[in-house]
Amino acid sequence: MRPEEALRQTQGPGRPDPTTQRVAETLLSTAVGGPRERKRRARFHTLRVAAVRALTDSSIEVTFAIPEQVRGEFDYLAGQHVALRTELDGAEVRRSYSLCRAVDAGGGGDGPRTISVAIKRDEGGRFSTWAQTELRPGDEIDVMSPQGSFTSALAELDGAHVAGIAAGSGITPLMALAATVLGRSETSRFTLVYTNRSTTDVMFLEDLADLKDRYPARVALHHVLSREQRAAPLLSGRIDEDRLRRILDALVLPETIDEWFLCGPFELVQLCRDTLADIGVDPAHVRYELFTTGEDGRAEPAAGRPVVVRDDEPVRAIEFTLDGQSATVRSPVAANESILNAALRVRSDVPFACAGGVCGTCRARLVEGAVSMTENYALEPDELDRGYVLTCQSHPTTDRVVVDYDV
Ligand SMILES: Cc1cc2nc3c(=O)[nH]c(=O)nc-3n(C[C@H](O)[C@H](O)[C@H](O)COP(=O)(O)OP(=O)(O)OC[C@H]3O[C@@H](n4cnc5c(N)ncnc54)[C@H](O)[C@@H]3O)c2cc1C
Ligand code: FES
């Protein structure tokens, strides 16, 4: 089964109803650190690199200093990510990276003084290779204000038990979540299953050990290595369904878990979701984030595809509101372009990062009309119910469509 088919057959974030998304009530749930979604304008700011730290041979942690005047723009929830933007070989490149530090680390009441991301080099990857080899303290780079809903919905952390299952660079948002969950209550617990090929691939190895030392009774940490023998046979080898079930039974104890966070390659996340559903875990308590769709290669963002609007052909009207200002753009029916693509023709600051339905940065609320959404690996069912769409994936199916980026 192709990855996107597997996602289609299950729900949330998964795919929307294939044809239309309509408007519904806005609800905000409470969460660790405030509302689960902190809606703010996705805007780039130029930040200075304060430190670059090697995590493994192929991954680095990059810390940015936040000038006082924009600290409020970088206030974030554990689990959120930022988009980084630079120019490589004359072309703009945007990539998303999860924030890896506890929300309270280095912060004051006015927002964080620093934020940190962890970047793992993807073999042949443009941005991650550039970051690994070129990025140095003192460099400046554009960083978008934090976005994303891979965040806790728990209103109360006292006594809460949160579980994370991560692979490779998928540990990054879980580092922020674990440190925040443990730091904000004296009775919360965090159980982490983290899989890598070998010890040398383990990102944040020492930081995880420090977390365990700091909260010995409240942290359970299980490293699973697929190509290295560990003392416990259960923790040696690839995580397949059988091993996952045994790990859950023996080490995680699903009946004790209040909320789950999954982050890793598509196949592992899908395996975990299916297995958890099969053993009776309510999918509403399972959050997951994908860094890629699992497809080979990476198409450069389709956003910005040139489209010429002629007067003698049928067009659709796309109206959008951004920063309180509305604009209308005409889009040829035959071009079947996305709302994002059309909107970028009249405003260059319309938010997006991956343009592939993964990061959720281009999210807006459909206020009028209907759209067909091609991919959705980012929006959760409740966001779809409330009428949110990914504008990079949404193609109008009515003559007039109105979306609002501000809500
Ligand atoms: C919400 C979110 C959060 C994320 N958080 C993190 C994080 O915390 N840490 C992290 O390391 N990553 C994270 N990512 C992934 C990150 O955004 C990048 O996708 C990743 O770093 C790879 O980017 P790149 O430019 O290096 O690779 P790309 O240039 O995009 O290439 C990706 C892969 O495709 C292959 N490829 C590229 N072009 C072609 C081609 N023409 N034909 C065949 N193959 C090709 C490359 O070899 C590489 O393996 C996150 C992604 C999302 C959406
Ligand atoms: S820009 Fe990433 S989902 Fe649309």
Side-chain angles (χ1 to χ4, degrees):
M1 190 185 297
R2 296 181 68 214
E4 72 272 26
E5 268 155 17
L7 256 189
R8 194 182 290 129
Q9 288 179 13
T10 53
Q11 291 300 305
R15 303 258 179 152
D17 178 276
T19 48
T20 56
Q21 298 299 314
R22 291 188 186 280
V23 186
E25 278 292 283
T26 297
L27 298 165
L28 283 181
S29 54
T30 54
V32 178
R36 194 169 156 241
E37 297 171 74
R38 187 167 290 166
K39 183 63 188 168
R40 77 154 69 76
R41 170 80 160 85
R43 201 190 299 273
F44 280 108
H45 297 275
T46 304
L47 299 184
R48 192 174 50 77
V49 174
V52 178
R53 175 171 75 116
L55 296 173
T56 63
D57 284 352
S58 61
S59 63
I60 50 173
E61 180 185 37
V62 182
T63 298
F64 298 98
I66 318 279
E68 199 176 344
Q69 61 274 23
V70 295
R71 275 187 198 145
E73 293 281 310
F74 285 92
D75 212 10
Y76 66 96
L77 298 173
Q80 288 195 308
H81 52 85
V82 293
L84 307 186
R85 178 175 70 181
T86 193
E87 207 166 276
L88 298 179
D89 302 326
E92 179 188 288
V93 180
R94 299 177 180 211
R95 298 288 186 266
S96 300
Y97 293 96
S98 304
L99 295 159
C100 57
R101 294 273 159 190
V103 168
D104 305 321
D110 54 348
R113 284 166 172 67
T114 59
I115 55 167
S116 301
V117 297
I119 304 175
K120 181 172 183 183
R121 190 172 67 229
D122 207 340
E123 208 51 49
R126 294 180 69 201
F127 189 95
S128 58
T129 305
W130 170 80
Q132 193 89 25
T133 51
E134 305 290 332
L135 211 52
R136 298 279 179 272
D139 289 352
E140 292 193 327
I141 182 170
D142 292 341
V143 183
M144 193 184 271
S145 38
Q147 309 289 319
S149 53
F150 186 59
T151 55
S152 176
L154 294 177
E156 181 56 68
L157 277 179
D158 285 342
H161 188 184
V162 176
I165 304 179
S169 57
I171 190 65
T172 308
L174 293 188
M175 287 301 296
L177 282 157
T180 304
V181 164
L182 293 162
R184 291 207 169 169
S185 161
E186 288 182 0
T187 53
S188 58
R189 287 184 294 152
F190 203 97
T191 293
L192 178 67
V193 177
Y194 182 23
T195 180
N196 282 281
R197 273 182 297 193
S198 59
T199 313
T200 51
D201 298 312
V202 179
M203 294 167 70
F204 296 107
L205 187 61
E206 283 174 19
D207 305 69
L208 286 165
D210 288 347
L211 209 57
K212 176 74 187 153
D213 285 348
R214 191 165 172 194
Y215 308 108
R218 299 197 284 130
V219 175
L221 180 56
H222 307 291
H223 286 288
V224 182
L225 300 178
S226 61
R227 294 197 193 158
E228 199 176 298
Q229 201 60 38
R230 301 212 58 206
L234 182 56
L235 301 178
S236 312
R238 273 184 74 79
I239 296 190
D240 56 12
E241 186 181 340
D242 174 59
R243 190 180 305 277
L244 177 62
R245 283 180 185 271
R246 287 188 291 130
I247 288 173
L248 293 174
D249 270 357
L251 304 175
V252 182
L253 312 180
E255 63 282 5
T256 68
I257 304 296
D258 299 299
E259 198 171 33
W260 298 80
F261 289 90
L262 316 174
C263 192
F266 178 89
E267 293 74 16
L268 178 70
V269 168
Q270 191 64 19
L271 172 68
C272 293
R273 293 178 64 216
D274 288 346
T275 308
L276 291 174
D278 193 56
I279 61 174
V281 172
D282 182 350
H285 299 148
V286 181
R287 318 211 163 280
Y288 68 92
E289 183 150 86
L290 298 175
F291 286 176
T292 66
T293 59
E295 299 283 337
D296 284 343
R298 181 187 209 285
E300 276 307 311
R305 171 166 72 95
V307 169
V308 177
V309 187
R310 295 204 324 255
D311 285 337
D312 61 346
E313 63 177 343
V315 293
R316 299 194 196 283
I318 297 173
E319 184 183 320
F320 66 94
T321 303
L322 178 63
D323 274 346
Q325 292 188 330
S326 296
T328 301
V329 57
R330 296 189 312 146
S331 176
V333 174
N336 192 31
E337 67 177 331
S338 67
I339 291 177
L340 174 67
N341 200 75
L344 283 170
R345 260 205 301 291
V346 291
R347 270 189 76 168
S348 60
D349 60 340
V350 178
F352 77 94
C354 73
V358 186
C359 71
T361 308
C362 64
R363 187 184 92 149
R365 195 155 169 219
L366 185 63
V367 177
E368 188 184 319
V371 300
S372 161
M373 203 149 68
T374 317
E375 304 277 5
N376 170 32
Y377 298 98
L379 296 179
E380 302 235 18
D382 66 302
E383 294 174 282
L384 297 170
D385 289 345
R386 285 182 275 141
Y388 286 103
V389 296
L390 297 175
T391 56
C392 74
Q393 299 298 310
S394 295
H395 306 267
T397 55
T398 49
D399 287 344
R400 183 178 147 79
V401 158
V402 180
V403 297
D404 191 343
Y405 284 97
D406 292 342
V407 287

